[in-house]
Amino acid sequence: MTDAPHSFELLAGAGRSPVILHVPHSARVIPDDVRAGIVLGDEELERELGHITDAHTAEIAEAAAGLAGVTPWRFVNRLSRLVVDPERFPDEREEMRAVGMGAVYTRTTHGGVLRPEDIDPEPLVERYFRPYARAMTQAVADRLAATGRAVIIDVHSYPSRRLPYELHGDGPRPAVCLGTDPFHTPPGLLDAAREAFGETGLDSPFSGTYVPLEFYGKRPEASALMVEIRRDTYMTEPGGPAGAGLERLAGALARLVDAVSR
């Protein structure tokens, strides 16, 4: 069984770095007691993990941190998003509840049953979601205190073909989608990402970015950008091995880190 304090990890960067590479969806690990509440058989669950996991994004962030001139901090979820999704709103503000994918998922990527609809999400939210949110909030607060600013770069990936759960998947699917927030994504951060990655799109098929609620809409010095990497550019879909594209993307991410660390 995995206890909540060990379900995520903050990996230290340089004291003068304002950057946090946030990797929320890279893991496939599900504790046994949480697995017991998922109705899928083992083979079905493995297929679902292949579709829903942002595979190898932790490795991209790790490689980028090693290449960067100023080492960024990394906040990495070590459990699958099928345990809880730390980037969802834990209440009715979350639009993904419409497809059974709030903080605690009840539906799969293809609309099948993952958990019973009448599940009480609160035990999982209390055990996993809230400790994660508190720790990420503290990590951002520490960067603000140390450097006067925090730059959260959310590292994600997405499938080359739309999956049924996507609410806004009918638009462009660029090699790299940059998700923005009107309050927390300044033009300089967006420009740096475009320069680093080259071919990018904006807020399609996924939009927005993650900022802890304590700072959301309140602290512009906590800036944020979501980097959504199309999976066929670096791996075999769904859920397969990484290829040569991983190194190239890590280099691009390192360039972004260096650009915003100055």
Side-chain angles (χ1 to χ4, degrees):
M1 186 181 300
T2 305
D3 293 327
H6 305 292
S7 68
F8 51 81
E9 187 173 9
L10 177 63
L11 297 136
R16 63 189 179 96
S17 173
V19 178
I20 300 172
L21 297 180
H22 181 219
V23 188
H25 295 157
S26 65
R28 296 172 68 102
V29 175
I30 301 174
D32 289 344
D33 61 326
V34 180
R35 169 68 181 95
I38 292 174
V39 304
L40 301 180
D42 289 346
E43 290 186 8
E44 293 175 301
L45 180 57
E46 284 300 305
R47 282 196 297 272
E48 180 62 14
L49 286 167
H51 288 300
I52 200 65
T53 303
D54 293 354
H56 313 298
T57 49
E59 289 93 331
I60 292 172
E62 180 180 12
L67 293 169
V70 179
T71 305
W73 296 65
R74 286 178 288 142
F75 194 104
V76 183
N77 188 6
R78 297 303 186 189
L79 296 183
S80 169
R81 65 197 289 189
L82 297 184
V83 179
V84 296
D85 190 331
E87 291 211 315
R88 301 289 198 240
F89 287 111
D91 52 34
E92 65 281 351
R93 289 174 292 179
E94 180 51 61
E95 69 168 357
M96 294 301 292
R97 287 166 56 123
V99 289
M101 289 185 167
V104 177
Y105 296 1
T106 58
R107 291 281 171 173
T108 70
T109 51
H110 289 73
V113 177
L114 182 76
R115 292 182 174 94
E117 294 289 344
D118 60 356
I119 183 179
D120 178 7
E122 182 58 28
L124 289 173
V125 169
E126 178 63 25
R127 184 177 178 190
Y128 296 108
F129 184 96
R130 292 195 179 99
Y132 189 107
R134 287 192 294 267
M136 185 62 182
T137 299
Q138 188 60 55
V140 173
D142 288 347
R143 292 301 88 217
L144 289 169
T147 71
R149 61 193 180 106
V151 183
I152 305 163
I153 300 175
D154 233 5
V155 185
H156 290 261
S157 72
Y158 75 99
S160 58
R161 294 186 178 183
R162 179 180 185 173
L163 290 174
Y165 83 94
E166 296 178 25
L167 293 178
H168 310 289
D170 53 353
R173 303 181 84 83
V176 176
C177 162
L178 302 176
T180 67
D181 178 89
F183 187 86
H184 290 282
T185 309
L189 176 54
L190 190 57
D191 290 345
R194 286 170 166 155
E195 178 69 23
F197 286 101
E199 181 192 345
T200 61
L202 190 65
D203 289 320
S204 174
F206 298 98
S207 63
T209 188
Y210 177 81
V211 177
L213 290 176
E214 182 172 321
F215 309 111
Y216 185 69
K218 304 169 187 173
R219 298 285 297 274
E221 62 270 36
S223 60
L225 179 74
M226 179 170 66
V227 176
E228 285 270 7
I229 303 164
R230 203 179 67 221
R231 292 176 189 157
D232 64 337
T233 65
Y234 74 93
M235 63 173 284
T236 301
E237 298 181 89
L246 188 148
E247 186 175 336
R248 175 182 55 80
L249 287 160
L253 183 57
R255 290 193 294 274
L256 173 57
V257 168
D258 283 340
V260 299
S261 296
R262 300 189 186 104

